[in-house]
Amino acid sequence: MTARIGVVTFPGTLDDQDSLRAVRTAGAEPVSLWHRDKDLKQVDAVVLAGGFSYGDYLRAGAIARFSPVMETIIDQAKAGLPVLGICNGFQILTEAHLLPGGMLQNSHLHFICREQKLRVETSETAWTADYTAGQEIHIPLKNMDGRYVAEERVLDELEAEGRVAFRYLDVNPNGSLRDIAGITNAAGNVVGLMPHPEHAVQPLVGTGRTDGLGFFTSILKKLVNA
């Protein structure tokens, strides 16, 4: 049976089609999910795609967090449903308290769009199993509110528990504390990151690399082998 991976569209989502294509490229069945529908259509995992949900009014992700679909996602994520939040999706996950900390405007107060070098810090999540800890990858990055912040106590816990999933290399593009580009929850089923792996799954799109495909093959293998 083919694994079904849902991709949520909120008003202002930009990268849902790219995420659906990435899911299809990895070999899973992509399923479109609408933000006003609580029904997840029996998907096996969910991607919260990038963009500017509700125009990023109030705070990035703050309104989308209260969409009907998020009620179901929050409940099922706590029960083990794999969820990947990309850029705005990462912001939504922090607003929903599925991941700790929060996102602020980039320290230089400018929108950035660039190829970004990352180090994979852990392969012990549902979305990173096809990578190795310490592996360096190149993933497109585009955001205005990408500065990850948290209390020192929370940062120390993330470090001690191996829950920093990705770290920026060579340059910190947005002022994120401790160069954090992505994190995971304690169970490893919920992962959020600011860069966009869905833009690095085919050689002719994005960076010209396929470094992002591992996110989607990782979850596919986990679901198939579950």
Side-chain angles (χ1 to χ4, degrees):
M1 186 174 66
T2 303
R4 291 163 51 85
I5 301 179
V7 177
V8 180
T9 300
F10 300 92
T13 297
L14 301 178
D15 299 304
D16 45 350
Q17 294 303 311
D18 302 83
S19 297
L20 289 165
R21 182 171 58 247
V23 168
R24 186 180 301 110
T25 300
E29 178 185 349
V31 179
S32 296
L33 300 176
W34 183 235
H35 73 112
R36 292 181 61 87
D37 191 352
K38 292 184 179 182
D39 182 9
L40 298 186
K41 301 180 181 179
Q42 297 181 313
V43 297
D44 303 297
V46 168
V47 176
L48 301 179
F52 303 91
S53 59
Y54 293 92
D56 280 350
Y57 295 120
L58 294 184
R59 289 184 311 277
I63 301 177
R65 174 261 180 273
F66 292 101
S67 290
V69 72
M70 287 304 300
E71 294 182 30
T72 309
I73 290 174
I74 290 169
D75 288 342
Q76 293 199 19
K78 291 178 179 178
L81 177 74
V83 179
L84 175 66
I86 302 171
C87 195
N88 190 231
F90 185 13
Q91 296 160 345
I92 295 169
L93 290 176
T94 62
E95 291 289 339
H97 304 298
L98 287 174
L99 292 175
M103 313 301 298
L104 298 179
Q105 280 195 343
N106 299 336
S107 56
H108 45 69
L109 302 182
H110 294 288
F111 180 85
I112 53 174
C113 183
R114 53 169 291 152
E115 180 180 334
Q116 179 64 48
K117 188 176 181 180
L118 304 176
R119 183 172 62 240
V120 180
E121 299 285 42
T122 178
S123 60
E124 301 297 319
T125 82
W127 300 92
T128 60
D130 262 1
Y131 298 103
T132 58
Q135 183 176 348
E136 297 180 3
I137 59 177
H138 292 77
I139 302 291
L141 177 71
K142 51 176 186 174
N143 63 72
M144 180 65 193
D145 299 278
R147 177 161 51 114
Y148 180 74
V149 297
E151 297 177 354
E152 284 296 312
R153 171 187 57 81
V154 174
L155 294 171
D156 289 342
E157 288 178 359
L158 291 173
E159 301 276 14
E161 296 173 6
R163 291 172 53 197
V164 175
F166 303 92
R167 220 180 292 267
Y168 297 116
L169 289 183
D170 294 344
V171 62
N172 185 326
N174 44 37
S176 291
L177 297 180
R178 303 195 190 182
D179 299 326
I180 291 174
I183 60 175
T184 177
N185 68 344
N189 63 303
V190 179
V191 171
L193 78 162
M194 287 310 298
H196 288 259
E198 79 281 11
H199 294 325
V201 298
Q202 296 173 318
L204 296 180
V205 180
T207 62
R209 302 169 182 260
T210 58
D211 292 10
L213 188 59
F215 284 81
F216 304 96
T217 57
S218 292
I219 187 62
L220 179 58
K221 288 180 180 178
K222 176 179 175 57
L223 295 173
V224 169
N225 294 329

